[in-house]
Amino acid sequence: MLVHAYGAHAADKPLESLQITRRTPGAHDVQIDIAFCGVCHSDLHQVRAEWEGTQFPCVPGHEIVGRVSAVGAHVSDFKIGDLVGVGCIVDSCKHCADCEAGFENYCDGMVGTYNAPTKDEPGWTLGGYSQKIVVHERFALRIRHAEDQLAAVAPLLCAGITTYSPLRHWEAGPGKKVGVVGIGGLGHMGIKLAHAMGAHVVAFTTSDSKREAAKALGADEVVVSRNPGEMAAHAQSFDFILNTVAAPHDLDAFLALLKRDGTMTLVGAPATPHPSPNVFNFITKRRSIAGSMIGGIPETQEMLDFCAEHGIVADIELIRADEINEAYERMLKGDVKYRFVIDTATLAA
Ligand code: NAP
Ligand code: ZN
């Protein structure tokens, strides 16, 4: 079936209206009428070919929420009309050790929601800046928030799980001092989630203008990372730092803030490498740097339920599809509080 979408025909071309094909739902598929789709910095990296291997046309979008509009014959957990979400994963091998453990995000056969190989036309996946999507039922998530919060739930599907998963894995909670670096789409969710988990949260920003806003999100303290004096006041004090910055930067400045055995986990995925950190910053305090990629399907459902229970949604700015190119420019300037979300009703206009 043909549906309206928004995407780009080349890395140096703006996104524009186009039509794409969605498959007829198979026995285990769920077809979703997309209501809203969040705008992740990864969408921009991919569509501008800042990461390798972008196929064109490229339709980004992996923060998808909407309603089930058809189900395959063998689908029992979802019915027409259910509120559901789809994040960064639309398929995986479903039988490797990672899939068995619910870590589809680490399966070698993971199929990303856009730009990943598929049998569907045109041979690679096309994302959520579109009217409909069809996915295997395993990759549909149940949304328990109130329907009027749906647009603000969309960013949980990537920004939410990408911060929730490492915060849980490195045990953010009462008695732990947790830093969140970069207050963008991911970072603002990291602050809300770490606060809800009971940690003492310190937000790090390069933007003086976000100082008060970060406190309103739940940060106990805010540090403007460009000020060495403010940074030094937190030396050797953190259990865990979640670094969401989308550009290469000096990691040593943050490593020095970790306690003995502290970890800094990188979730930002800049197009070019960070300068290598100083080995002495690891060995002198047995510190670690780690990475983390989104989260598996069971943990994504756990995160959605945690957010519904704690009244957590993203802070969003709703846009029309034809405002997406301008939104990308504003995202690059850090000028969004804190996530753009496309109203997909505007795709057909
Ligand atoms: P975003 O909304 O653009 O936020 C990134 C924030 O980083 C900015 O708001 C800014 O915060 C800070 N920043 C940007 N450039 C900087 C620079 N040159 N130096 C220092 N700080 C800078 O992006 P996002 O959607 O949150 O995504 C962040 C990164 O995570 C992207 O690279 C994205 O591709 C990646 N990502 C990874 C995963 C994963 O699974 N690991 C999932 C989703 C996204 P301040 O203004 O507060 O400094
Ligand atoms: Zn994302």
Side-chain angles (χ1 to χ4, degrees):
M1 139 200 35
L2 272 181
V3 302
H4 289 285
Y6 237 76
H9 289 285
D12 58 355
K13 293 272 189 319
L15 277 71
E16 59 182 79
S17 177
L18 40 89
Q19 290 202 321
I20 61 169
T21 305
R22 292 301 189 193
R23 69 175 181 259
T24 304
H28 285 280
D29 282 341
V30 173
Q31 175 185 291
I32 299 158
D33 286 1
I34 301 174
F36 302 101
C37 184
V39 178
C40 180
H41 206 116
S42 300
D43 301 352
L44 186 159
H45 289 309
Q46 189 80 68
V47 78
R48 295 193 175 175
E50 292 175 4
W51 296 339
E52 280 179 23
T54 305
Q55 307 260 27
F56 292 97
C58 173
V59 174
H62 57 207
E63 294 184 338
I64 297 167
V65 292
R67 265 189 200 285
V68 174
S69 54
V71 293
H74 293 161
V75 174
S76 52
D77 285 353
F78 296 100
K79 58 181 192 317
I80 291 174
D82 285 354
L83 281 184
V84 292
V86 174
C88 306
I89 314 174
V90 291
D91 210 350
S92 69
C93 86
K94 306 186 202 74
H95 53 69
C96 69
D98 289 322
C99 286
E100 296 266 315
F103 292 117
E104 298 89 344
N105 52 321
Y106 297 120
C107 167
D108 290 336
M110 179 194 118
V111 179
T113 304
Y114 52 78
N115 204 57
T118 173
K119 289 191 200 120
D120 295 357
E121 286 180 51
W124 54 93
T125 51
L126 301 168
Y129 300 180
S130 61
Q131 292 176 309
K132 292 181 197 290
I133 193 165
V134 178
V135 299
H136 186 281
E137 57 182 328
R138 177 173 178 150
F139 302 93
L141 286 308
R142 191 164 292 286
I143 291 171
R144 299 193 164 87
H145 289 75
E147 188 171 358
D148 61 0
Q149 295 182 304
L150 200 54
V153 169
L156 303 183
L157 275 303
C158 173
I161 184 60
T162 301
T163 50
Y164 182 90
S165 183
L167 287 167
R168 281 285 188 234
H169 185 75
W170 279 278
E171 300 177 342
K176 295 285 179 72
K177 184 171 173 182
V178 170
V180 178
V181 188
I183 311 175
L186 266 56
H188 99 288
M189 287 310 310
I191 294 171
K192 289 187 187 212
L193 291 167
H195 174 74
M197 290 172 189
H200 180 88
V201 184
V202 181
F204 292 91
T205 181
T206 56
S207 314
D208 208 27
S209 63
K210 291 184 188 169
R211 211 186 265 276
E212 287 313 310
K215 289 218 171 122
L217 292 169
D220 297 287
E221 300 175 69
V222 184
V223 172
V224 174
S225 54
R226 295 187 197 280
N227 298 341
E230 276 187 64
M231 293 288 277
H234 290 272
Q236 300 184 24
S237 66
F238 282 88
D239 297 284
F240 180 63
I241 296 178
L242 181 63
N243 187 327
T244 76
V245 173
H249 61 282
D250 174 19
L251 300 177
D252 283 315
F254 295 102
L255 277 176
L257 307 188
L258 292 171
K259 279 180 183 169
R260 170 173 51 78
D261 289 330
T263 299
M264 173 158 73
T265 293
L266 308 179
V267 291
T272 51
H274 298 288
S276 177
N278 183 337
V279 169
F280 285 90
N281 275 328
F282 297 98
I283 62 181
T284 53
K285 294 278 175 196
R286 202 165 53 185
R287 295 167 172 136
S288 307
I289 283 193
S292 183
M293 190 175 77
I294 45 175
I297 296 301
E299 195 174 38
T300 305
Q301 188 63 62
E302 178 189 308
M303 176 278 308
L304 283 168
D305 294 346
F306 177 90
C307 289
E309 195 182 309
H310 288 81
I312 296 173
V313 291
D315 288 16
I316 64 157
E317 192 174 321
L318 200 61
I319 59 167
R320 299 169 46 83
D322 61 12
E323 292 173 313
I324 185 66
N325 295 298
E326 188 193 329
Y328 280 179
E329 292 311 314
R330 286 186 49 201
M331 181 160 63
L332 282 173
K333 288 188 234 149
D335 175 26
V336 46
K337 289 202 170 59
Y338 289 90
R339 199 58 140 185
F340 291 113
V341 173
I342 299 172
D343 179 353
T344 54
T346 64
L347 280 167

